[in-house]
Amino acid sequence: MSLYTAETRRLIKRRFTRFLALGTLLVLAAVVAGVFLSHHRPTPERLATAQAQADREYQSAVQQATRDAAECRAAQGTPAAQNYPPCDQISPPARSDFPPEWHLAPAFDFREQFRYLVITLAALLAVMAFVIGASFVGAEWSSGGMMNLLLWRPRRLEVLGTKLAALLVNLALFTVAVSAAWTGLFALTAGTRGTLARMTSGAWQSIVLMELRGLVLVLVAGALGFGLASLGRHTATALGAAIGVVIVLQVGLGIVLSMAGAPFVEAYLAPTWIQAWLDKSTVVTHWDSCYYSSVQGCAAETLTITWPVAGAAFAAVVVLVVGAAMWTMRSRDIT
């Protein structure tokens, strides 16, 4: 049996991997069910019901306005007059103020709404990938399995690289399968409880490319979890580093920079770069600045982060962390 096959079997057969993947699938299934149940295609019966309810509310508002106007006129010349505006300002509302759409469940517009669900999918799978990647190699170090493996396979970098390859390949296969099912289920939801209108070939291509960028984000998260756990030789190292980054370098740094009046505070935060990667670009605004234009007047300065820049930043972080893990694997004592 090859080393890659053995590592693949070890990854797939781990109960932690299976339970975490199953838990992630259950969360995704709950999202699908929630979107499906909360959207409805407007049928003639639903439209008639919504129209009737809007008519009732309109008639009730007209009657209330009539009563208020009568009470206002009756109160003139008494102390109670101060409780009313000028009586000629009290008039019944317009019929257009009570559209029947208010009483209809929203229809699921695939083109408008699915991109947000792709971001949700990528975020959940990235968290799963980070934890699985950290536990896959972290458990090997903490249990002594890595040392035992190197007794019969003493090539350190080959062993660690094969583990990483097995992790990334299986994460990629899992993500592609889930993404295909995710797209199909929401296309079905749009077909039965919404609309697939305006889904041209270009729109489908844009969705596929966004899902591919989501796949890359999942692989980056898995590699970072793997590299951090390998550096610390424990799963808790990667999880602790992630918590530290979120609390100290994100929440704390954001507060400090905001208090200091630093420009483009959001550009220092990881979610901004993730959004730029998935959405192809994001604009960060320095609200305390003034860029004068004879056309627009005083406008705040903006900074645009594009997906190639975000991708380069992710690649640099992955190379740094995984490269450090490989270097320590080659140079540090295994025991």
Side-chain angles (χ1 to χ4, degrees), residues 241-315:
I243 294 174
V245 167
V246 171
I247 295 177
V248 178
L249 294 182
Q250 297 299 292
V251 178
L253 181 62
I255 293 174
V256 171
L257 291 176
S258 297
M259 294 177 62
F264 307 116
V265 174
E266 291 84 358
Y268 297 91
L269 306 181
T272 301
W273 292 83
I274 294 174
Q275 182 181 358
W277 171 252
L278 293 176
D279 281 343
K280 295 194 293 186
S281 68
T282 188
V283 178
V284 181
T285 304
H286 180 30
W287 296 107
D288 294 332
S289 65
C290 176
Y291 181 78
Y292 181 78
S293 170
S294 58
V295 177
Q296 298 180 346
C298 187
E301 292 184 82
T302 60
L303 173 67
T304 301
I305 302 175
T306 60
W307 70 268
V309 175
F314 292 155

Side-chain angles (χ1 to χ4, degrees), residues 30-222:
V31 173
V32 173
V35 172
F36 183 84
L37 295 176
S38 61
H39 291 79
H40 295 281
R41 177 179 290 174
T43 62
E45 293 79 10
R46 291 195 177 98
L47 287 173
T49 301
Q51 184 67 58
Q53 187 171 354
D55 290 340
R56 288 194 298 269
E57 292 186 356
Y58 170 67
Q59 295 299 331
S60 177
V62 169
Q63 294 171 7
Q64 183 63 48
T66 303
R67 287 193 298 268
D68 291 343
E71 293 173 359
C72 177
R73 289 190 295 269
Q76 296 305 305
T78 67
Q82 63 181 356
N83 298 327
Y84 295 91
C87 295
D88 58 356
Q89 294 183 6
I90 301 177
S91 59
R95 181 63 187 84
S96 58
D97 293 335
F98 297 85
E101 290 79 9
W102 286 1
H103 307 288
L104 287 172
F108 182 72
D109 190 326
F110 190 88
R111 177 162 182 164
E112 293 294 328
Q113 297 174 263
F114 184 66
R115 58 181 297 272
Y116 301 106
L117 295 166
V118 173
I119 295 175
T120 301
L121 174 67
L124 289 173
L125 292 182
V127 172
M128 179 204 72
F130 183 90
V131 177
I132 288 179
S135 66
F136 180 46
V137 68
E140 291 287 304
W141 282 112
S142 59
S143 66
M146 183 70 76
M147 182 175 61
N148 293 332
L149 177 60
L150 290 174
L151 289 177
W152 66 273
R153 196 83 178 202
R155 297 179 180 178
R156 299 185 178 190
L157 296 184
E158 179 184 350
V159 169
L160 191 64
T162 303
K163 283 182 176 293
L164 178 59
L167 170 70
L168 296 182
V169 169
N170 283 276
L171 284 177
L173 294 175
F174 182 82
T175 301
V176 169
V178 173
S179 297
W182 187 256
T183 305
L185 288 172
F186 280 109
L188 178 63
T189 299
T192 57
R193 301 207 167 197
T195 177
L196 284 165
R198 298 177 293 120
M199 284 305 299
T200 62
S201 59
W204 282 111
Q205 181 181 6
S206 178
I207 286 176
V208 171
L209 291 176
M210 189 176 186
E211 290 180 336
L212 287 176
R213 292 194 297 273
L215 169 62
V216 173
L217 181 65
V218 172
L219 298 181
V220 166

